[in-house]
Amino acid sequence: ASPFTFRKLAGCTLFITGASRGIGKAIALKAAKDGANIVIAAKTAEPHPTLPGTIYTAAAEIEAAGGKALPCIVNVREEQQIINAVEKAVKTFGGIDILVNNASAISLTGTLETETKKVNLMMDVNVRGTYLTSKTCLPHLRKSRNPHILNLSPPMNMNPMWFKNHCAYTISKYGMSMCVLGMAEEFRGEVAVNALWPKTAIHTAAMDMLGGSGIEKQCRKTDILADAAYCILTKPKSFTGNFIIDEVLLREEGVKDFDVYAIAPGHPLIPDFFLDAFKEEKKLSQHEGADGAKASTESASAKPRSPVAETFRVIQGAMSEEYVRTTQGVFQFELSGEEGGTWYIDLKTKGGSAGFGKPPVTADVVMSMSSADFVKMFTGE
């Protein structure tokens, strides 16, 4: 069979915001290998002092990978720039088949620490930019045979933990997810609208700025999102209204080796924002006892817990054999202040465990700190 038989996105036109670097560019390059047309709708026309790449360097990479590139200067805060780029794309390639809303702004700051201009930036880029780009592309998408909108946004997890440390950012990302919820239903049968989010931190220039040096070892490459996006965008338009986690989808598609996506294979990975063990806990709370009676885990979890105990409950809920296999460490915490005493996390024995008291085996690391600092450390503060 000709290799071209399997080029599912050959001849398709993808309009990707924020495609000059990072995740947007990775998705663009994956589609370019099929011979797709890529509209690079991004701000960076001149080299940035600290960030790699421009719309023109991205265009050269896309052409080298086998695609056709149309670099367009687009700040998604400016509606006219979006309109101009969409018109140019339709004129150049004859239409638009896929929109990827990837452009995003982030500030992981509390309510009192977030300047108004940062609030405006996140709301304008993440929510308004996604909404307006979708609105502008939709008349053209409706004419395509298999149109898709894909937003890089999370499932809407209403655990207050994801709001308390960076309320404005969370509102803005959930705004993108609400666009998926609404538009998937509004255009059902005409245009597929889905969300994609990584299970772990992804190594990008933004991650380097947020996490500092050495953070990349705890991240995966952008390739995992590119592969997951490709799976979604090659599905029929009836596949719509889904909030997809990259690893979950790729496992369903038969991928078994996830080390290929790791920057440092075998190194523990940082779980991404907005994902926690609440779904697994829900299943556990409906566990039936041997006599057929429902176990009383629900009533127990209904009691308010202290911050340290609640943190350990979440850690215990997130335990997995994979974490144990990749970490192979036992951590002991000597906490002072409220809820002081000895606590532990065992990521070495069997399926792992965590809780109050000394660990079942000798600790590899002993950390002494205040209870307040412990809670801050494990909630990302």
Side-chain angles (χ1 to χ4, degrees), residues 99-137:
L99 164 63
V100 179
N101 284 307
N102 165 71
S104 196
I106 183 169
S107 181
L108 298 176
T109 43
T111 302
L112 301 177
E113 293 76 46
T114 312
E115 298 170 53
T116 304
K117 67 176 186 179
K118 282 276 173 72
V119 177
N120 291 344
L121 176 68
M122 289 188 282
M123 299 303 167
D124 283 357
V125 173
N126 302 356
V127 191
R128 187 172 172 272
T130 293
Y131 185 90
L132 290 180
T133 309
S134 301
K135 181 187 173 190
T136 310
C137 287

Side-chain angles (χ1 to χ4, degrees), residues 124-237:
D124 283 357
V125 173
N126 302 356
V127 191
R128 187 172 172 272
T130 293
Y131 185 90
L132 290 180
T133 309
S134 301
K135 181 187 173 190
T136 310
C137 287
L138 269 160
H140 305 288
L141 289 166
R142 288 169 108 175
K143 295 173 189 171
S144 169
R145 278 181 310 145
N146 194 35
H148 279 262
I149 294 176
L150 182 63
N151 293 356
L152 271 293
S153 68
M156 286 185 288
N157 178 353
M158 291 299 158
N159 184 337
M161 170 178 132
W162 298 117
F163 289 84
K164 70 170 189 175
N165 296 327
H166 37 73
C167 193
Y169 174 64
T170 299
I171 291 169
S172 71
K173 290 307 287 188
Y174 284 11
M176 292 175 74
S177 300
M178 285 177 171
C179 287
V180 171
L181 215 54
M183 292 177 194
E185 207 52 49
E186 187 178 357
F187 299 98
R188 187 173 288 279
E190 293 185 280
V191 180
V193 188
N194 295 290
L196 173 62
W197 195 245
K199 184 177 176 180
T200 72
I202 301 294
H203 185 232
T204 60
M207 183 54 73
D208 279 337
M209 285 195 297
L210 293 167
S213 67
I215 193 77
E216 70 280 355
K217 287 180 183 169
Q218 300 172 68
C219 299
R220 280 177 172 161
K221 301 170 191 169
T222 51
D223 299 3
I224 190 167
L225 282 169
D227 287 356
Y230 185 86
C231 285
I232 296 162
L233 300 174
T234 53
K235 287 184 186 294
K237 64 185 176 185

Side-chain angles (χ1 to χ4, degrees), residues 214-295:
I215 193 77
E216 70 280 355
K217 287 180 183 169
Q218 300 172 68
C219 299
R220 280 177 172 161
K221 301 170 191 169
T222 51
D223 299 3
I224 190 167
L225 282 169
D227 287 356
Y230 185 86
C231 285
I232 296 162
L233 300 174
T234 53
K235 287 184 186 294
K237 64 185 176 185
S238 55
F239 182 81
T240 191
N242 302 290
F243 290 87
I244 297 142
I245 306 301
D246 57 358
E247 183 180 316
V248 175
L249 174 69
L250 291 171
R251 281 192 191 281
E252 285 171 6
E253 297 283 334
V255 176
K256 289 185 173 66
D257 179 14
F258 285 87
D259 277 352
V260 295
Y261 296 119
I263 300 281
H267 202 285
L269 299 164
I270 304 171
D272 208 349
F273 291 121
F274 312 117
L275 306 176
D276 56 32
F278 77 107
K279 282 180 183 158
E280 284 72 22
E281 286 159 18
K282 257 187 185 166
K283 285 179 203 158
L284 286 174
S285 71
Q286 288 159 7
H287 166 70
E288 292 195 355
D291 58 354
K294 286 202 173 181

